[in-house]
Each structure stands twice: as structure tokens, then as C-alpha cells.
Amino acid sequence: MSLEGKLLIGQQAVSGERAEIRAINPASGEALEPVYRGGGEAEVARACELAEAAFASYRETSLEDRATFLETIAAEIEAVSDDLTQRGMAETGLPQARLEGERGRTCGQLRLFAAVVRAGEWLDVRHDPALPERAPMPRADLRQRHIALGPVAVFGASNFPLAFSVAGGDTASALAAGCPVVVKGHSAHPGTSELVGRAIQRAVAKCGLPEGVFSLLFGSGREIGQALVSDPRIQAVGFTGSRSGGTALMQTAQSRPQPIPVYAEMSSINPVFLLPEALKARGEALGTAFVGSLNMGAGQFCTNPGLVLGVKGEALDAFVKAAGEAVTASGAQTMLTPGIHAAYADGLGALAGNAKVREIARGQTGDGPHQCQTGLFVASAADFLADEALQAEVFGATSLVIECADLAEMQRVAAGLEGQLTATLQLDDGDLEAAKGLLPTLERKAGRILANGWPTGVEVCHAMVHGGPYPATSDSRTTSVGSAAIHRFLRPVCYQDLPAGLLPEALQDGNPLGVSRLVDGKREG
Amino acid sequence: MSLEGKLLIGQQAVSGERAEIRAINPASGEALEPVYRGGGEAEVARACELAEAAFASYRETSLEDRATFLETIAAEIEAVSDDLTQRGMAETGLPQARLEGERGRTCGQLRLFAAVVRAGEWLDVRHDPALPERAPMPRADLRQRHIALGPVAVFGASNFPLAFSVAGGDTASALAAGCPVVVKGHSAHPGTSELVGRAIQRAVAKCGLPEGVFSLLFGSGREIGQALVSDPRIQAVGFTGSRSGGTALMQTAQSRPQPIPVYAEMSSINPVFLLPEALKARGEALGTAFVGSLNMGAGQFCTNPGLVLGVKGEALDAFVKAAGEAVTASGAQTMLTPGIHAAYADGLGALAGNAKVREIARGQTGDGPHQCQTGLFVASAADFLADEALQAEVFGATSLVIECADLAEMQRVAAGLEGQLTATLQLDDGDLEAAKGLLPTLERKAGRILANGWPTGVEVCHAMVHGGPYPATSDSRTTSVGSAAIHRFLRPVCYQDLPAGLLPEALQDGNPLGVSRLVDGKREG
């Protein structure tokens, strides 16, 4: 594996001139080679200039060519599988199986978007034929398709070094839509990012696409990100990270002379509702299974179950007891970065030091420098409702159980929650009425509602919604996982009475692309 | 016709306590009865409280019930046709035929949305069935539908007292999506607004819907609008009006603890490109036809052609000469309000006083107090590119012809334009290559591209896009006219492994609603 510590701008690899970025192996604290020097405004401008230059031809690539490009990226990533796993483990502390699985997911979603591109539904082709005889006014011939927004800025996430990073969901869906992508790689895993970035570079060259279709920048601090979002050529932003980071990008994007959409996936505590019959029938088993979800990936998932609600009583006590025992038995896991570990330790300490919160259990402490000790706490619904701080996400394997006086109080807590990525119901047949009472509230709070499962694990498919009301995301009208994510980077254009020679292929008579169309309001194909 | 000068909050008619609003007949300058007292924070809060209370049941009305409600609104509006025309003429100075046509369009679009609701495509139903045997991980059962965002604030426009006002496109599409609506009626036509508002009130009662589904507020100044957009129960905003007004609402919406989407349709000068062969073949006829479009509705359309581009030479001179003669012959028309007339006079004066601009012709002056004198001016492309002020919209029947040295300069002017609602090509067969060169630029600048027509006149249909990049609108991903406008007020929710008894009807096995679905990524029905 040869890493050069360079920024990838189009087909070039260039050295930055700003502050050094060094990946740190969180399991050992060791700094990894090579050094990456951050880019500045000049590198942002160059990458955006190339992206803009590439846009005109890239957005009009044929469905087949664009799909092949996405598949070529997947193949190029697979060609460096071993290097990716090795470097990814060193940079993130994540285990081998997780990185291999995440690589599979990353390549799988590139291939899913290839299929989506070929199917062409995303074009949303509509045709209202001319009605020259209509009285009192004839109708013109009106056709619609969706086109790509323009160059897109993508911010790699710390917690998914592959699936939400350089070639992750945001990049895949933006490329699928026809948008060139400028990635700002996460400083925690620059080597993994370079490996993936070079795979995309090779795919661009192999497919004969203009080099500006993809660039990869690095930079510490917020300067480079703000410069990227402020660049007039950037037309949309994809981001996965903290609430403060996402909110800052939203403000920058809105303050531009031309405001642009920001798709930021930020903060969620993913409430789990233990309904009475389910809790009575299997409280202990639920407690054990819950901790399995809590500990996944050292709790470093956007969908980690950080809040559990039940009605106070023996059944909830049994759940808490079993969960507490599972927490006590939980081994320490290395967290992604020293910074994430420090923030987790602060969050855990704040919960433990909150007089309204009762500590139930802590997991084992580890020998490594940045290991996460699982935590479980309990508070009353009244105290939770009175203290906004208890709703704050603690990123890591800690959860808070809320004891509600009754179902009505559980409903009040649900109504008081901020926007969430997920809401989970644990229910048995006898809980159906209680669940029906909660569901309308949960639909307004979350992008995905689960029954008798756990929120961790996000399927990449057509029906998935990985999104939700603010602050879960900046835009609840979309998803960042699954095929519908392509719609974030498209806008409609209507063509009125255009001569056949000017019409885009997707809109030509006879439907040469063979895509599903809405003709006079009726679905065809 | 009995008008009470009241705010309509749910089923009540209440008196405001803020500054008086009086409609003024712009043709005579006469103030019209009754007086409307503006509402304040209390009325905003009450309307939003009712809207929030109505939301839970309204958003789950059956497709049939909701469609019937929209049709009932149309019928109730038609039942007061004569009053509407009479009061509308007095409040706006628009002629009878225009108000009758606009009433037809308003009721037509309510019925279009009724058909859209019944068809159920807007639900975007998706189903990825469970794959329990899949290795290494089984897939859960995943279903998706779209649900309504929540209560919506709609701001009535001055220039379409019916079709973009109390029961206009924003209201119709929000109600179709399942969102209660709180309208802030435009102060220029409060009587027309009250008549329409009472028609909706009656439809709400007849259909047995919760009263909060609709309220109508009045208020002068920006206080009431800002209060409405700031109310935490409001989840989206529809607006048609000025760039400064729309931008202020965007900022308010983004500054909320929970930011919300704003759909503001603001400012557009709708460039018309006269390509060489067409100009040569029919420059004179184009000049005359152009002025017909320019004068429609005293130029008070969002799609008014405020900019014309051609290559300098004899053919363009013939166009300008014919257009100038038509302008000179143009009768004065009463503008909508004294304020709009004053702003128009200012804009006309600024153009006339710009040393880089040559005045070609002015239309007739009228005897009335607020009449628009048509204007036609010419400037060079170089001067246009150097002076941002020349891109500013002059709301009314004035247009600026830009003389380009050649097609390359025309292309540069196109590339330098701000976002537009429309771009129009006048072309003959011999212009196809020139048009192909312009089209990619125009697609990035405008929501609708026309050939050999004029931008005024917006068909309400499925393929229409009345939208475009900022500052034409605040959100280029949507349209405010046509059936796709419903998508502005929806968001996706995913349901994972929900028991049959909890699934919304749209997602139940067997597709009981009979709607088009994406099953495992394949379109069915």
C-alpha cells in the first residue's frame, strides 16, 4: 500500500500547504504515516473549477455510461480491499469484520445506484401533450424531466470510514444524479480516504470522464469546509456529523448570495418504547438484546438507542436489571478518535453527575487509551421533561431509561422529543392500542419507525428513510440512505413546445429510454 | 355581498386590533369598505393552535374525503362568482374577463389536486419485502409512504387575487398534501380574500372537518408574517411576492430553533432569446407579438418578458422598430396598487435615466391615478454585463432589449443571468445549432424553457414547472404551479416490520388503496 499524503484534485495528486493532519491509531495512540498537509482556498477553488468544467458533459452522460462508472468505482474499491481493511483498522480501531462488511455495503450501494440510474425513474419524466383545439385556450406541449443540481460538496463522516465517507452514500447518490463531487475527507482517516479517492480517480480515467467529476480535499478546522460550501460553483452539500458542525454549514449555505440546500445528518437519540405487554412477557430478554444494539460499533452509530421509555413497575425493573447485567459484562471497545472518546467521557460524566439521574451500571474499563465504557442510567419522565440537557446525544454506548408513570406520560415524553432518525416500538398483540396511540406522534418525530427490532443497522434499499425532522437532519423531506437519496441532487425543468431536435432524449416521442412516465397524469411503464 | 372586515380563525370571524387595512380601488383611488383591522400575535397563535389541533385527523382523511373537500371549496367559490368578480375588479383594477378566467383556473386547480389526491401517486408507496433467508443478514420488511409536514403558512400574492391567493396554488397543494393552512391575505384585496376565505370555511363545515384546517389572517407590515413563520407549529411556508419579502421570510424560517422550508416565488425577468434565422424571417411579427405578452395584465406577471436578447443588426432593428410601434400604441392600464404603480414609475425612471440605456418607446399615458405606461429600452450586452442594476426586475410592462455582438456574447449574457422562472427561444430550423449551444446554460438558469411562444400564461398541469434557481424562487427543487407542487408539503416515513394492525392503509398488503407502488425497486400499477 503506497499512500502519498496528497489531496486529489481531478486526476492530480497535490500537496497542501496548511496545517498537518496525522491519523492516529486509537487503539495504540500511535500517529500514522504519512503526513497530510491540509488544503486551503486555492485547492478548494481548483477542485470547484474542475467540477464546474466537468458538469456540462457529466450530467448528460447516458444512463448506461453513468451506471458503468458507479460499478467501476465499486470494482476499483474491491481491488484494494486488503489495503482498505488494514488501513481502516489502523485509523479507526474498528474490527476487521466491520470494515469488510462496510466495504460490502459501500460497493453494494454504488451498484444499487447504478441500477437506479439505468431504470430512469429518477428522471420523473412527465408529458402533457398539446391540446390545440382546447377552448378557450389551446394547451402547449409540456414535458418535464429532472436534471442534476450542479457540483456537490460531500463531508466524510468519522463513524463510517467507507459507507458515509469518500465513496459513501452522499457521493454515490450525487454521482448517480449527474453531479460532480468534491469530498472533504474526514481528518480521522485520511489514509482510508486516499485509498478510496484513488479508486474513484482510476474509475474516472477508465470511463473516460472529465477529471473534475471527483476531487478529494483534506483540511483541519472549519476553514476548508466553509470555503467549500461558500464556493459559488457548489450547488448542494451532503454532511454527516455533529449538530454544531451541520448547523454551521446550514448557516453558511443560507448566507451565500445564492443559498443552496444542505443535507446534514446530525443528531438523534433514537427512542425505544417498551410497551406494557411486551415488557411483561419478555422484559429480561429485551434488556439483554437492547445492550447488544447499544454496544454495536462502540455505540458510534447515528441510530444508537440512547433513550428507552417504559412504564415504571416490576416489568421495567426486570428489563433494567437484565440490561444492567449485560452492561456490566460489556467489554471496553476502542472509539474512533481521541476527540470522540473525550467527548464521550464528558457526556458520561455529565449523566453520572446529574442529581436527577440514577446510575444502573457501567461496562468494563479497558487497557487501551481510547476505550468506551458502556453506561446505563435511569431518570423519571418528569425530570426528563424538565431538563433539556437529558435529550442531548451522548455519542457512544450510553443510554438513559425513562420511567413513566403511565402510558399518558410516555405519550407526553414522546411529544416533547426533538426530531429523530428512528423510533422503535417493542410490542406484543395486547399492546396494539397503545402503539396506535403513539404512532401519530412518532411519525411526526422520526424518519423510520420500527417494531420489535433495534434501530442500529440501516438497510440500503428503496423504502429506507434515514432522515427525520431537525435536528436529526437539516431537511426532513429526504433520506441519506437508500435509492431515494438521489432526489436530493435533482431539480425539475419543463420544456414547452420544444422542437424534436432540441428535446433531451428522455423526453423524446416514443420514449427511447424506455423509462416510466406520467403522460397526461397517468402512469405508463 | 356582505363583507364584515373580519379575520377568519377556524369557523369564527373575529376582529383584529392592529392597524386598519383598507382596500383601494386603483382605478379611482377610492378607499373601499369595510375596514379590516389587522391581527397580531394572539390571532396568529390562535390560528396555529387550531391548525395543530386539526392536523392529526386531517392528515389521515381518506383520499376520497380529502378530494371531496377540495372539490367542495371549488363549488363554494363558484357559488359566489359574481361577488368575487365585482369585488375583485374594484380591489385590483383587473378587467372582468381576467377575474373570470382566474376564477376558472383557481377552481380548476383545486379539482386537479382532487384528482391527484385520489390517484395517490403522491404517497410514493415503496415496499421492500422481508428476506428472512438472506445471508449474512436477513432483511426486515420495509415500507415507505409520504406524510404531510404539518400546518403551512401561505402568503397571498398581490398579482393573482384568486389563483395565487387565499385558495390559490399554495393552499390547494398544501391541503391536498394533508396540511392545515393559515393564510395571511394580501392587504391589497382583503374583500376578495374574505369572500374566498368564507367559501373555504363553508367547505370545511360541510365536509365535517376540524375547523383548524383553515384560517385567514390580515395584517399590515411584516409583523404578522414574521410571527406566523416563527410559530413553532408552522412547518412550511408558501409565498409569492417580492425578493426582499421572500428573502426576509427565508431568514426568519432558518433562524427558528427548528428551521423549516420556505417556498418563495420572487423575482424573474424571463429572458427571450431571438435567434438569428427566426429574427431574420419574422423580426417584425415577433416584435408585435412580444409587446402583446409584455402588456398582459399590465405586465404584472411573474413571467413577464423583461429582457430580450438578439444579435445587433438589421433584423434586430426591425424587431425593435415593430416592438416600439406597438409600445407607442399601447394603452395605459391600471396597476394593482398605488405602491406597485409607484415602484414601477421608479423602475421606469431609473432605466430612462441610465446613461447606458437608450429609450425606444413609451406607451400612452392614462387618465387614471395608477396607470402603467408601457416602456421599451435598449442596451448593449457589454453594458448589461457590467451593470447589475440592469438585471433588476421592473414589475410592470417594461422590457429591455440587449444588443449582442454575436452568439458568443449572447451566450455570455445568458451565463451571467441570475436564476429565472422561464427562458424563451425564438428559433427557426436554421437556429437549431445555436439553440443547442444555449440550452445547457438555460437549463441551469430557469425552471421552464419555451420555444416560439411567450412566457406569460402558465398551464396548470402535471409537467409544469413554475420555479427556478434563486432568486426566481427560494427552492429550485420544486414547482409552485401544477400537480408536482404537492411534493413541497410532504416527507417520507419508513415503517420497519410493523404488524399489519399498525400499518397505514396505503402500505397494507394487497394494496387496498390501489395506488402505484415501487415493490423491490420495480414499479407496479
Side-chain angles (χ1 to χ4, degrees):
Chain A
M1 166 176 17
S2 76
L3 293 173
E4 294 186 13
K6 298 267 178 81
L7 286 65
L8 307 180
I9 300 186
Q11 287 292 311
Q12 308 299 310
V14 304
S15 295
E17 299 186 346
R18 302 296 170 100
E20 291 189 358
I21 297 163
R22 292 282 294 268
I24 291 172
N25 183 330
S28 65
E30 168 205 12
L32 300 172
E33 295 297 333
V35 168
Y36 288 77
R37 296 286 300 270
E41 286 180 10
E43 288 77 18
V44 167
R46 179 67 185 141
C48 292
E49 183 189 349
L50 286 176
E52 171 68 22
F55 180 53
S57 69
Y58 182 63
R59 77 177 174 95
E60 292 292 5
T61 44
S62 71
L63 301 184
E64 181 56 35
D65 286 353
R66 205 183 300 168
T68 300
F69 172 48
L70 295 169
E71 290 164 343
T72 306
I73 296 173
E76 291 292 334
I77 289 173
E78 285 165 349
V80 292
S81 289
D82 292 346
D83 286 353
L84 270 179
T85 301
Q86 185 187 332
R87 179 75 187 189
M89 288 169 67
E91 288 187 330
T92 66
L94 293 170
Q96 178 173 349
R98 156 69 191 272
L99 284 160
E100 289 174 354
E102 199 179 319
R103 187 186 68 238
R105 173 179 166 161
T106 304
C107 295
Q109 73 191 358
L110 285 159
R111 294 189 173 103
L112 173 70
F113 279 109
V116 165
V117 167
R118 283 195 183 92
E121 277 238 348
W122 58 275
L123 288 160
D124 193 12
V125 171
R126 295 163 174 242
H127 185 195
D128 294 312
L131 299 173
E133 313 297 332
R134 191 181 65 173
M137 294 276 288
R139 181 170 82 182
D141 179 88
L142 292 148
R143 304 176 194 227
Q144 187 195 114
R145 68 164 177 167
H146 274 62
I147 69 169
L149 282 180
V152 169
V154 169
F155 289 78
S158 64
N159 62 339
F160 279 86
L162 299 172
F164 279 91
S165 197
V166 179
D170 287 338
T171 297
S173 54
L175 290 176
C179 299
V181 170
V182 180
V183 174
K184 190 264 177 196
H186 199 283
S187 299
H189 50 256
T192 310
S193 296
E194 184 185 340
L195 286 168
V196 174
R198 287 186 182 270
I200 303 178
Q201 262 190 339
R202 288 191 296 276
V204 169
K206 279 195 180 173
C207 293
L209 294 171
E211 61 171 336
V213 163
F214 172 79
S215 290
L216 169 62
L217 306 175
F218 296 105
S220 55
R222 288 188 175 174
E223 180 203 350
I224 194 168
Q226 296 292 331
L228 187 54
V229 174
S230 300
D231 190 285
R233 290 158 291 206
I234 294 295
Q235 293 298 304
V237 179
F239 170 89
T240 301
S242 70
R243 182 170 179 168
S244 63
T247 303
L249 293 182
M250 289 168 71
Q251 284 162 355
T252 301
Q254 279 294 318
S255 305
R256 292 164 43 121
Q258 177 219 9
I260 55 171
V262 172
Y263 303 106
E265 194 260 85
M266 297 179 285
S267 166
S268 182
I269 55 175
N270 304 296
V272 176
F273 296 83
L274 307 170
L275 296 186
E277 294 298 320
L279 195 57
K280 197 161 68 183
R282 49 198 169 92
E284 203 177 313
L286 285 172
T288 309
F290 156 68
V291 176
S293 175
L294 180 66
N295 278 332
M296 273 184 70
Q300 300 165 119
F301 287 138
C302 326
T303 52
N304 195 252
L307 192 72
V308 181
L309 301 99
V311 174
K312 193 175 165 69
E314 275 178 27
L316 184 59
D317 292 344
F319 170 90
V320 170
K321 181 164 179 289
E325 287 166 5
V327 164
T328 304
S330 297
Q333 296 180 78
T334 300
M335 298 195 82
L336 291 158
T337 71
I340 287 173
H341 177 253
Y344 176 72
D346 287 350
L348 197 70
L351 274 177
N354 188 316
K356 302 292 174 55
V357 171
R358 196 165 86 239
E359 181 171 319
I360 298 298
R362 297 235 193 163
Q364 297 169 30
T365 55
D367 300 328
H370 305 115
Q371 291 191 320
C372 162
Q373 185 186 19
T374 304
L376 187 66
F377 299 85
V378 170
S380 75
D383 288 335
F384 180 80
L385 286 167
D387 185 354
E388 273 192 19
L390 293 179
Q391 264 204 63
E393 182 181 16
V394 178
F395 192 70
T398 280
S399 194
L400 180 61
V401 179
I402 302 300
E403 294 175 333
C404 305
D406 50 27
L407 284 173
E409 192 173 42
M410 185 186 282
Q411 174 85 42
R412 282 197 298 280
V413 174
L417 290 174
E418 295 188 303
Q420 305 290 338
L421 292 170
T422 70
T424 300
L425 294 163
Q426 298 292 348
L427 79 165
D428 279 1
D429 289 349
D431 293 313
L432 211 58
E433 288 311 307
K436 281 183 182 168
L438 273 168
L439 194 58
T441 300
L442 301 186
E443 283 174 327
R444 294 188 68 181
K445 295 290 177 183
R448 178 164 56 111
I449 297 165
L450 305 80
N452 294 330
W454 303 99
T456 44
V458 180
E459 183 75 30
V460 182
C461 61
H462 303 281
M464 177 51 61
V465 178
H466 190 64
Y470 185 91
T473 78
S474 56
D475 191 336
S476 72
R477 296 163 294 174
T478 64
T479 175
S480 66
V481 174
S483 64
I486 193 174
H487 297 294
R488 298 178 297 167
F489 303 113
L490 296 166
R491 50 172 277 260
V493 177
C494 173
Y495 303 81
Q496 179 172 326
D497 282 339
L498 252 63
L502 269 186
L503 277 174
E505 192 180 10
L507 300 183
Q508 286 171 9
D509 286 343
N511 190 14
L513 294 184
V515 296
S516 175
R517 305 186 303 168
L518 202 65
V519 179
D520 240 343
K522 291 183 186 60
R523 176 66 51 195
E524 288 188 359
Chain B
M1 168 175 18
S2 77
L3 293 173
E4 293 186 15
K6 298 269 178 81
L7 287 65
L8 306 181
I9 300 186
Q11 287 294 310
Q12 308 298 311
V14 305
S15 296
E17 299 187 346
R18 302 296 170 101
E20 290 188 359
I21 298 163
R22 292 282 294 267
I24 291 172
N25 184 330
S28 65
E30 167 205 10
L32 301 172
E33 296 296 333
V35 168
Y36 288 78
R37 297 286 300 272
E41 286 181 12
E43 288 77 18
V44 167
R46 179 68 184 141
C48 293
E49 184 189 347
L50 286 176
E52 171 68 24
F55 181 54
S57 69
Y58 182 63
R59 76 178 175 96
E60 292 291 5
T61 44
S62 71
L63 301 185
E64 182 55 36
D65 286 352
R66 206 183 300 167
T68 301
F69 172 49
L70 294 169
E71 290 164 343
T72 306
I73 296 173
E76 291 292 332
I77 289 173
E78 285 165 348
V80 294
S81 290
D82 292 345
D83 286 353
L84 270 178
T85 301
Q86 184 187 331
R87 179 75 187 190
M89 289 169 66
E91 288 187 329
T92 65
L94 293 170
Q96 178 174 348
R98 156 70 189 271
L99 284 160
E100 289 174 355
E102 199 180 317
R103 186 186 69 238
R105 173 179 167 160
T106 304
C107 295
Q109 75 191 357
L110 285 160
R111 293 189 174 107
L112 172 71
F113 279 110
V116 166
V117 167
R118 282 195 183 92
E121 277 236 349
W122 59 274
L123 287 159
D124 193 10
V125 171
R126 294 163 176 242
H127 185 194
D128 294 313
L131 300 172
E133 312 297 332
R134 190 181 65 173
M137 293 275 288
R139 181 169 83 182
D141 179 88
L142 292 148
R143 304 176 194 228
Q144 187 195 115
R145 68 164 177 166
H146 275 61
I147 68 169
L149 282 180
V152 169
V154 169
F155 290 77
S158 64
N159 61 339
F160 279 86
L162 299 171
F164 279 91
S165 197
V166 179
D170 288 337
T171 297
S173 54
L175 289 176
C179 299
V181 171
V182 180
V183 175
K184 190 264 177 196
H186 199 282
S187 299
H189 49 256
T192 310
S193 297
E194 185 185 338
L195 286 168
V196 175
R198 288 187 183 270
I200 302 179
Q201 261 190 340
R202 287 192 296 276
V204 170
K206 278 194 181 176
C207 294
L209 295 171
E211 61 171 336
V213 164
F214 173 78
S215 290
L216 169 62
L217 305 175
F218 295 107
S220 55
R222 289 190 173 174
E223 180 203 350
I224 194 168
Q226 297 291 331
L228 187 54
V229 174
S230 301
D231 190 287
R233 290 158 292 206
I234 295 296
Q235 293 298 303
V237 179
F239 170 89
T240 301
S242 70
R243 183 170 179 167
S244 62
T247 302
L249 293 183
M250 289 169 70
Q251 284 162 355
T252 302
Q254 279 293 319
S255 305
R256 293 165 42 122
Q258 178 220 7
I260 55 172
V262 171
Y263 303 106
E265 194 262 85
M266 297 179 285
S267 167
S268 183
I269 55 175
N270 305 294
V272 176
F273 297 83
L274 307 171
L275 296 187
E277 294 298 321
L279 195 57
K280 197 162 65 183
R282 47 194 169 94
E284 204 178 312
L286 285 171
T288 310
F290 156 68
V291 177
S293 174
L294 180 66
N295 278 332
M296 273 184 69
Q300 300 164 120
F301 287 140
C302 325
T303 52
N304 196 252
L307 192 72
V308 181
L309 299 101
V311 173
K312 193 175 167 68
E314 278 178 27
L316 184 59
D317 291 345
F319 170 90
V320 169
K321 182 167 179 287
E325 287 166 6
V327 163
T328 305
S330 297
Q333 297 180 77
T334 299
M335 297 196 81
L336 290 159
T337 70
I340 287 173
H341 177 253
Y344 176 72
D346 286 351
L348 196 69
L351 274 179
N354 189 318
K356 304 291 176 56
V357 172
R358 196 167 86 240
E359 181 170 319
I360 299 299
R362 296 237 194 162
Q364 298 169 30
T365 55
D367 300 329
H370 306 115
Q371 291 191 318
C372 163
Q373 185 187 20
T374 305
L376 186 66
F377 300 86
V378 170
S380 75
D383 288 336
F384 180 80
L385 285 167
D387 185 354
E388 274 193 18
L390 293 180
Q391 265 204 64
E393 182 182 17
V394 178
F395 192 70
T398 280
S399 194
L400 180 62
V401 178
I402 302 300
E403 294 175 333
C404 305
D406 50 26
L407 284 173
E409 192 173 45
M410 185 186 282
Q411 173 86 43
R412 282 198 298 280
V413 173
L417 290 174
E418 295 188 304
Q420 305 290 337
L421 293 170
T422 71
T424 300
L425 294 163
Q426 298 292 348
L427 79 165
D428 278 1
D429 289 350
D431 293 314
L432 210 58
E433 287 311 306
K436 280 183 182 170
L438 274 169
L439 195 58
T441 301
L442 302 186
E443 283 174 327
R444 293 187 68 180
K445 295 290 177 185
R448 177 164 57 111
I449 297 165
L450 304 80
N452 294 330
W454 302 100
T456 43
V458 180
E459 183 74 32
V460 182
C461 62
H462 303 282
M464 177 51 61
V465 178
H466 191 64
Y470 185 89
T473 78
S474 56
D475 191 336
S476 72
R477 297 164 293 173
T478 64
T479 175
S480 66
V481 174
S483 63
I486 192 173
H487 296 294
R488 298 178 298 167
F489 303 112
L490 295 165
R491 50 172 276 260
V493 177
C494 174
Y495 302 81
Q496 179 172 327
D497 282 339
L498 253 62
L502 269 186
L503 278 174
E505 191 180 11
L507 300 182
Q508 287 171 8
D509 285 342
N511 190 12
L513 294 185
V515 295
S516 175
R517 305 185 304 168
L518 202 64
V519 179
D520 239 343
K522 290 183 188 59
R523 176 66 50 194
E524 289 188 0

